[in-house]
Amino acid sequence: RKIMIKLLKVAKFQIGKSGITPGVIQSLNLILKSHRQVRISVLKSSGRNRNTIEIMSSEIGKRIEYDTKIKIIGFTIIISRR
């Protein structure tokens, strides 16, 4: 019998007033190791406006280890591993 490890589909994550720290990037890399998609909620304390969220998403895209696709929907950043 073959035992298959199925990747979990969606993980949820929050970014608060500290913003994008090395710890956040490290956590996202660990999450993407076992999940196909991460939904990041940008909290009010992080100064959530459209420009801030776009800057955060581009910074995450540059610093993350995996090849990903990033979408922004409202105050949520969705990262999908390719």
Side-chain angles (χ1 to χ4, degrees), residues 5 10 17 23 30 40 52 59 61 63-65 72 78:
I5 298 173
V10 180
K17 63 183 173 184
L30 287 172
I40 303 171
T52 306
E59 187 176 343
R63 294 173 61 186
I64 211 144
E65 293 175 5
I72 300 171
I78 300 172

Side-chain angles (χ1 to χ4, degrees), residues 62-73:
K62 290 176 190 173
R63 294 173 61 186
I64 211 144
E65 293 175 5
Y66 296 94
D67 183 25
T68 58
K69 177 182 170 188
I70 298 177
K71 282 195 287 188
I72 300 171
I73 300 175

Side-chain angles (χ1 to χ4, degrees), residues 22-54:
V24 168
I25 298 300
Q26 184 179 13
S27 296
L28 288 172
N29 282 325
L30 287 172
I31 290 170
L32 284 170
K33 190 183 257 187
S34 61
H35 291 76
R36 181 167 287 155
Q37 188 178 71
V38 182
R39 291 179 177 258
I40 303 171
S41 298
V42 180
L43 302 179
K44 287 182 184 178
S45 61
S46 67
R48 73 180 191 189
N49 62 43
R50 191 73 179 162
N51 287 340
T52 306
I53 294 173
E54 287 177 7

